[in-house]
Amino acid sequence: MAMRIRIRIRCRSAGALCPGCGAWSSRVRGSYLRFPADLPSAGRRVVLCLHVRRFACADASCGRRTFAEQVPGLTRRYGRWTERLRSALAEVGLALAGRAGARIADVFGIRVSRSTVLRLVDALPEPRPRTPRVVGRRIRDAQGPGLRDRARRRRDRPTRGPAA
């Protein structure tokens, strides 16, 4: 049996904003416990014991009657992992892909399948393409067809001496 570290967390805010209409509500409808996993510490699994409150929306015209408070930066809706653990696994997946990423995660004390690692990588946003520094053009020269760019032509151009 692996040793676990449990951390109890409770929000102390007076209320929360409704995600449906944005109205502030401080009327607690109920509460429940969530147990998201976090990054291991000293070789031990870390599990958070998160006390979550459900609020009743104050706006009668809102389609959502109740909603659960979310802790920004810690968890997301229906998530079983913290954002730290999710981003660490995504980075491992970017570096090593599926099976190798799952093996390294297991060494760190995080048990995941290769499919999970790949799914986390697939969920990452696409990187923004960088703007090219130099635009090249095709030219024919003595060496045959090739691509030369303006920066190389400027760099290779012989310098002119002072005008006489």
Side-chain angles (χ1 to χ4, degrees), residues 10-16 24-32 51-58 65-69:
R10 179 185 296 257
C11 291
R12 303 189 90 185
S13 63
W24 179 261
S25 177
S26 59
R27 200 170 88 202
V28 177
R29 174 74 185 240
S31 64
Y32 60 95
H51 185 263
V52 179
R53 296 174 293 179
R54 288 199 69 77
F55 291 97
C57 184
R65 295 190 189 276
T66 64
F67 60 93
E69 68 182 333

Side-chain angles (χ1 to χ4, degrees), residues 5-11 32-37 46-52 74:
I5 298 173
R6 281 196 176 220
I7 300 172
R8 294 183 188 269
I9 300 174
R10 179 185 296 257
C11 291
Y32 60 95
L33 294 175
R34 288 180 66 183
F35 299 96
V46 175
V47 177
L48 305 178
C49 181
L50 180 61
H51 185 263
V52 179
L74 183 65

Side-chain angles (χ1 to χ4, degrees), residues 143-158:
Q143 298 167 348
L147 180 68
R148 275 210 186 160
D149 57 49
R150 292 174 193 250
R152 187 181 340 143
R153 283 195 313 177
R154 262 189 247 122
R155 186 183 65 225
D156 294 344
R157 186 181 317 152

